[in-house]
Amino acid sequence: MSDTVQILHPADDGYENIRNRCFNARVPNRRPAEIVLPWTTAEVAYAIKRANAQGLKVGVRSGGHHFPCSPLRDSGMLLDLKDLNKAFDYNKDTKIISFSPAHTVQDISTTLRPHKRFFPHGHSRTVGMGGFYLAGGQGCFVRGWGYTCDGWVTQLEVVTANGDIVIANATENQDLFWAAPGSGVGFFGVITRMWGKTIPSKKLYDVSYIVDSTDIFKPLLKWSLQTAERVPRYGSDLFICTFYADAEEKTTEDESKAKRVFMLLNQTVHCDSMEEALVLASPWQSFPDAFRKHLVAEIPMTERQWEELWDLQERFQPHGAGERWKVDSVISDATVSLDEFVDKITPALFDLPTRRATGAIIPLDYIPDEADHALSLPQKSTVSTLVCYSDPALDAKVDTWMKKTYTELEKVAVGIYVADHDKDQRLSRVMTDSALRKWLKIRAKYDPYELFTGHHGFDNVLPENQANGRT
Ligand SMILES: Cc1cc2nc3c(=O)[nH]c(=O)nc-3n(C[C@H](O)[C@H](O)[C@H](O)COP(=O)(O)OP(=O)(O)OC[C@H]3O[C@@H](n4cnc5c(N)ncnc54)[C@H](O)[C@@H]3O)c2cc1C
């Protein structure tokens, strides 16, 4: 097998290209000793045994969309799964799909379309299914049916830290199946194949309001969150996003000249007809006159194709022209009053540090069941800031802004979406304390010698470790 598996070393052609295969152009200067590009599960097992034999720590990459580019390990092994198990399978009898962790949102969506089936993938066409699922997966129409790990993914094929190939599902290696979603960068094996349920697809619609929120920010935000509460959960995604008026101007400037902050209120609907879509979005009809006069645009309910929704997403998350990103998020604490919540989150959404930075609130109202998976923090909503810029000289300034803003936001939070965990930036809870203690035991059973190190920092926030002075 050593003759057939593609392995790149730092001096090889192609090494640097693969090392840099990240959504974020701000790739850390960490240089794996080997990059392995497996095509089959057996090749992954070979790579893991090879890493063990050579004492290399392993980082795994599926879609390369983790903003801090976590799979890169200095002097370790990068297992890049871009070519792994590329055959997509849809079983017409069971309606089950099976796919590679490196398949993207677009791969899943376009393959299922002729079968008129739907699987709740993420919102951007290029995100990889491996990292998305391990984070739990805030998939399309999450408010109605929960995260994509929640009942949608039925089985995994995993290569463990000693190189064994195992199946994990609700009855076989159940502890591994429980531990995977919610692990994010901390997962302690390699997912090589996944199986998921599908449902009949429906039509897609969306409606948007863009408001110049500069002079009415807090009252508008409060009304938006109150209105979001009234939008039925099933079949509706909500996206509240802030950005500068000049965010899309064709310039290389990182600073906003406009200094006007716009707020997008967007609802996407998955249902059978325009009439149904209008009913589901009817709470927005009560748009107060005091806000209406600040409206910049109102895009009425329109039937959409997936490609149009992805295009919209890419306007806020551009890629491919050297964009640098810094991202942080909190999962909001539902016990905090709305007024205090609005006050505390305003800096993260309003004082955006670069012209192309965006703030986002995703109302979720999702209460996971800790018995089902490690993903366990109750999720009223997530609040995030996605700072996009070009000039590397801004790195330190952006980092400082992010750390200060999000350390303050932690006061109205129960933790962080594990997809955004970055131990070098800020530590926060990724699971409930009880789920984390259970997860750490399962981790130690499957990876006793820490071949995978992405979980570092998870347990620092446990009360017993804080009492010991770990921060
Ligand atoms: C533009 C954009 C849009 C996004 N939209 C959404 C969204 O709609 N919903 C949502 O929930 N999240 C979203 N995210 C966050 C995204 O889900 C996470 O960043 C996720 O980690 C990306 O997965 P990936 O496989 O592409 O990333 P990668 O960088 O390849 O992987 C991230 C980490 O996951 C682990 N990992 C990945 N694959 C495997 C594997 N096969 N086996 C073991 N470990 C593995 C590794 O530890 C790796 O460091 C978005 C991110 C971006 C950049």
Side-chain angles (χ1 to χ4, degrees):
M1 177 141 332
S2 58
D3 301 341
T4 51
V5 184
Q6 193 184 357
I7 301 176
L8 298 170
H9 294 99
D12 292 338
D13 283 349
Y15 172 94
E16 205 51 32
N17 267 350
I18 300 290
R19 193 185 80 86
N20 288 328
R21 196 179 72 83
C22 300
F23 181 84
N24 190 354
R26 188 177 168 182
V27 179
N29 191 26
R30 294 194 296 267
R31 307 188 65 75
E34 290 194 344
I35 298 178
V36 183
L37 296 148
W39 283 68
T40 64
T41 302
E43 290 185 354
V44 172
Y46 164 79
I48 291 296
K49 286 176 182 158
R50 180 181 169 95
N52 277 313
Q54 297 185 16
L56 302 179
K57 300 291 182 195
V58 176
V60 186
R61 178 192 283 156
S62 288
H65 276 54
H66 189 245
F67 283 105
C69 309
S70 58
L72 295 174
R73 303 273 177 282
D74 241 343
S75 309
M77 175 186 283
L78 171 63
L79 204 48
D80 191 310
L81 307 182
K82 75 181 182 61
D83 300 318
L84 176 73
N85 290 334
K86 282 307 239 186
F88 189 104
D89 183 57
Y90 172 69
N91 183 317
K92 287 189 176 141
D93 299 322
T94 61
K95 320 281 194 235
I96 296 272
I97 43 170
S98 120
F99 50 92
S100 158
H103 274 128
T104 61
V105 164
Q106 181 166 357
D107 293 332
I108 305 262
S109 172
T110 51
T111 312
L112 283 179
R113 228 171 283 176
H115 304 289
K116 298 192 169 34
R117 304 294 293 182
F118 169 80
F119 175 82
H121 46 64
H123 298 82
S124 292
R125 72 183 102 203
T126 48
V127 171
M129 294 309 294
F132 168 77
Y133 166 77
L134 282 169
Q138 261 176 30
C140 289
F141 310 107
V142 48
R143 290 173 73 240
W145 44 56
Y147 273 45
T148 298
C149 66
D150 210 339
W152 289 93
V153 172
T154 53
Q155 180 166 284
L156 306 172
E157 179 186 73
V158 178
V159 175
T160 63
N162 61 9
D164 292 340
I165 301 169
V166 301
I167 290 293
N169 56 36
T171 53
E172 203 174 337
N173 295 306
Q174 192 272 343
D175 54 354
L176 192 57
F177 192 61
W178 177 88
S183 290
V185 297
F187 191 54
F188 41 82
V190 186
I191 296 182
T192 46
R193 196 144 191 94
M194 306 163 71
W195 285 259
K197 286 197 301 207
T198 62
I199 57 169
S201 58
K202 295 177 182 259
K203 293 180 180 167
L204 288 172
Y205 300 88
D206 89 331
V207 59
S208 295
Y209 300 87
I210 300 175
V211 189
D212 183 344
S213 63
T214 317
D215 303 321
I216 48 167
F217 193 79
K218 286 187 188 177
L220 176 66
L221 183 55
K222 183 174 175 184
W223 174 80
S224 306
L225 292 170
Q226 284 169 327
T227 307
E229 294 273 345
R230 293 172 37 230
V231 174
R233 291 187 197 169
Y234 206 83
S236 286
D237 259 351
L238 294 171
F239 181 51
I240 301 173
C241 174
T242 58
F243 57 97
Y244 282 120
D246 55 353
E248 291 194 282
E249 271 179 23
K250 296 272 167 272
T251 160
T252 51
E253 276 292 319
D254 278 323
E255 195 181 334
S256 167
K257 297 273 184 290
K259 294 291 180 202
R260 306 290 304 173
V261 177
F262 285 4
M263 189 185 291
L264 167 75
L265 308 173
N266 172 263
Q267 181 173 340
T268 315
V269 182
H270 185 241
C271 68
D272 292 315
S273 66
M274 175 63 91
E275 289 70 28
E276 200 182 336
L278 289 170
V279 170
L280 289 170
S282 56
W284 301 107
Q285 293 300 317
S286 63
F287 217 98
D289 286 342
F291 300 151
R292 198 168 272 281
K293 63 181 186 223
H294 297 269
L295 260 181
V296 176
E298 181 173 355
I299 299 134
M301 189 67 80
T302 309
E303 187 173 348
R304 300 285 187 196
Q305 300 303 312
W306 281 107
E307 283 71 13
E308 293 172 272
L309 298 182
W310 296 333
D311 287 349
L312 174 69
Q313 187 86 14
E314 277 160 20
R315 284 170 60 185
F316 294 104
Q317 289 157 2
H319 168 66
E323 292 88 353
R324 300 175 84 77
W325 290 91
K326 186 78 185 180
V327 173
D328 205 344
S329 71
V330 291
I331 296 171
S332 63
D333 179 350
T335 64
V336 172
S337 76
L338 184 56
D339 284 321
E340 187 187 353
F341 182 63
V342 165
D343 262 353
K344 281 279 189 306
I345 66 173
T346 291
L349 304 175
F350 190 80
D351 302 331
L352 300 170
T354 66
R355 182 177 58 85
R356 286 178 294 169
T358 53
I361 311 180
I362 303 187
L364 292 165
D365 290 300
Y366 169 59
I367 315 272
D369 187 343
E370 194 169 315
D372 293 338
H373 33 67
L375 177 84
S376 47
L377 291 171
Q379 319 221 344
K380 176 79 191 148
S381 62
T382 54
V383 179
S384 52
T385 311
L386 299 94
V387 182
C388 176
Y389 56 103
S390 301
D391 184 359
L394 289 178
D395 288 352
K397 188 176 155 211
V398 168
D399 291 357
T400 305
W401 181 88
M402 198 62 114
K403 190 157 193 166
K404 181 166 168 284
T405 307
Y406 273 79
T407 303
E408 195 54 30
L409 253 185
E410 186 76 14
K411 293 176 185 160
V412 290
V414 294
I416 186 172
Y417 184 34
V418 70
D420 297 325
H421 170 81
D422 177 3
K423 75 171 171 37
D424 298 326
Q425 173 67 14
R426 186 176 70 86
L427 293 177
S428 184
R429 259 185 188 77
V430 295
M431 302 172 203
T432 61
D433 291 352
S434 49
L436 180 56
R437 291 187 190 104
K438 175 174 167 182
W439 184 90
L440 287 165
K441 283 188 191 145
I442 299 171
R443 208 212 75 75
K445 171 183 155 191
Y446 281 94
D447 183 18
Y449 304 112
E450 296 215 343
L451 186 72
F452 303 97
T453 55
H455 65 291
H456 287 179
F458 279 17
D459 64 339
N460 290 44
V461 296
L462 283 173
E464 55 270 33
N465 289 336
Q466 293 205 313
N468 292 337
R470 271 172 77 172
T471 54

